[in-house]
Amino acid sequence: MRVLGIESSCDETGVALVDASGSGVPRLLSHALFSQIAMHQAYGGVVPELASRDHIRRVLPLTQQVMAEAGSSLAQVDVVAYTRGPGLAGALLVGAGVACSLAAALGKPAMGVHHLEGHLLSPFLSADPPEFPFVALLVSGGHTQLMRVDRVGSYELLGETIDDAAGEAFDKSAKLMGLPYPGGPHLSKLAEGGDGAAFKLPRPLLHSGDLDFSFAGLKTAVLTQAKKLGPDLESRKADLAAATQAAIVEVLVKKSLAAMTQTGLKRLVVAGGVGANALLRSQLNAVCKQRGIRVHYPELHLCTDNGAMIALAAGMRLQAGLETLQRGYTFDVKPRWNLAELQAEPA
Ligand code: KG4
Ligand code: ZN
């Protein structure tokens, strides 16, 4: 069974084809991605209307590229999957509209996928795939959550951010330091040359006793520190970046370990854009090794948004018998959508 996946929830257009025959992990046949980052950089963040228009321009050429690289024809596609939410409404509508039109033209079913389910299953496409059950640390630009995952479709929320997401904390702090959008990778690069202990920044909710996060106060502390530095900010930027990164990473690592203790599980999956962060990976690897916990990550190029994770999640849900495929092509998108709602909702 071949599943075509289309991702268009934010500023990346991603298309991929997986083979989900049998019961093994679906196999990625090909994928293609166009990132709009350069276009949004001039505005310091994503401009939703520009994002939607660019998805329209990219999605069909990328689909043609994926089919050509996989040596497959559209007639061989069995299901067309798309990101139904959460994300930017207009951007989601482009992917949903194209996927449903394509499915209708091919006489095949279409299927909406939860973007975060895509992220958290994405490590199954890595060279070291996880096994169920596991704790998932989902750290993206819009979400920071710890979930207990017992099988495909079974997602129990253990804790989440009460304000900004970890990616947002990276991005907003980076913006204060005059770094380009999206700030996470830039801040992390700058931090390589800095001293993380140079400034004392808060670790919000570190000792709250629950698994929730809060990052809004950190951004304010970075702003206060930047103002205090005044003209010296330029020469101390690397230190401030390193201190910011150290604060975010320490909270993520400690809360992940608390989730492992609370659940008694021995596998941790890290997914979402911030999962690409090198300090987060090295610190998690070190502490988890000490505690006999296996950590799994997506391949670096599949940490941020992509079509492969959408095709994969669709394939895994189909294999698990969680979807009843229909050839009806009305659709809606869900810009706000809790992952935990997935179980309760009929397909
Ligand atoms: O998962 P993703 O591509 O999009 C969402 O679904 O939100 O995540 C994007 C986020 C951005 O906030 C970006 O700054 C962050 O992931 N990010 C990083 C790194 N690479 C991407 N943050 C820290 N270090 C990185 N290396
Ligand atoms: Zn994402």
Side-chain angles (χ1 to χ4, degrees):
M1 180 177 49
R2 293 190 167 197
V3 184
L4 184 70
I6 298 177
E7 154 65 29
S8 70
S9 68
C10 190
D11 57 351
E12 255 106 24
T13 322
V15 181
L17 186 67
V18 301
D19 181 356
S21 309
S23 58
V25 175
R27 202 162 53 85
L28 183 59
L29 300 178
S30 72
H31 80 112
L33 187 77
F34 183 85
S35 171
Q36 305 175 355
I37 283 176
M39 182 178 79
H40 296 294
Q41 232 156 25
Y43 306 93
V46 178
V47 183
E49 181 59 23
L50 293 184
S52 312
R53 291 178 192 203
D54 205 58
H55 286 306
I56 294 174
R57 271 192 290 272
R58 309 291 171 190
V59 66
L60 288 178
L62 286 173
T63 304
Q64 281 162 343
Q65 184 185 333
V66 162
M67 301 315 294
E69 282 174 15
S72 180
S73 72
L74 280 172
Q76 290 172 289
V77 170
D78 298 295
V79 181
V80 185
Y82 60 93
T83 305
R84 187 179 174 205
L88 301 170
L92 289 167
L93 280 169
V94 175
V98 167
C100 291
S101 319
L102 189 56
L106 297 171
K108 301 287 168 60
M111 181 180 152
V113 172
H114 196 295
H115 181 80
L116 295 182
E117 185 174 38
H119 271 305
L120 80 80
L121 295 176
S122 60
F124 280 95
L125 288 175
S126 76
D128 179 28
E131 278 169 30
F132 296 108
F134 54 77
V135 168
L137 171 67
L138 269 176
V139 270
S140 67
H143 294 84
T144 301
Q145 299 184 328
L146 279 160
M147 324 243 1
R148 181 190 167 110
V149 182
D150 282 290
R151 59 190 173 278
V152 179
S154 164
Y155 311 116
E156 182 196 344
L157 185 67
L158 301 172
E160 65 180 332
T161 183
I162 58 169
D163 42 50
D164 289 355
E168 232 172 326
F170 269 107
D171 294 346
K172 288 180 175 171
S173 304
K175 203 170 181 177
L176 293 174
M177 293 177 215
L179 300 174
Y181 164 85
H186 294 281
L187 188 145
S188 144
K189 185 104 200 69
L190 182 63
E192 283 171 18
D195 171 11
F199 298 101
K200 252 181 112 62
L201 293 175
R203 270 70 171 152
L205 298 192
L206 190 59
H207 303 293
S208 60
D210 57 24
L211 298 174
D212 286 339
F213 303 85
S214 163
F215 291 107
L218 179 62
K219 165 198 67 197
T220 312
V222 173
L223 177 64
T224 309
Q225 196 55 251
K227 278 189 179 155
K228 226 191 262 176
L229 285 168
D232 294 333
L233 173 62
E234 208 46 48
S235 61
R236 303 292 308 281
K237 229 188 221 175
D239 286 344
L240 190 55
T244 307
Q245 176 173 252
I248 298 171
V249 167
E250 183 180 341
V251 176
L252 294 177
V253 169
K254 294 233 165 104
K255 293 273 175 168
S256 300
L257 287 182
M260 301 313 293
T261 308
Q262 184 180 308
T263 57
L265 297 178
K266 289 288 175 196
R267 267 177 206 281
L268 175 65
V269 158
V270 183
V274 181
N277 185 269
L279 184 72
L280 177 66
R281 286 187 175 215
S282 69
Q283 290 201 0
L284 273 179
N285 289 345
V287 288
C288 288
K289 195 169 174 203
Q290 278 170 8
R291 297 182 184 213
I293 296 166
R294 289 285 313 276
V295 202
H296 300 266
Y297 305 91
E299 298 293 334
L300 266 181
H301 68 284
L302 297 182
C303 272
T304 44
D305 295 347
N306 62 83
M309 69 186 199
I310 301 306
L312 170 80
M316 289 181 79
R317 287 186 71 81
L318 287 166
Q319 287 173 326
L322 293 172
E323 298 283 337
T324 322
L325 291 173
Q326 286 162 358
R327 284 181 178 74
Y329 301 108
T330 52
F331 61 87
D332 63 348
V333 294
K334 291 169 89 69
R336 290 179 168 273
W337 191 9
N338 280 337
L339 187 54
E341 282 171 28
L342 266 186
Q343 285 115 285
E345 211 176 340

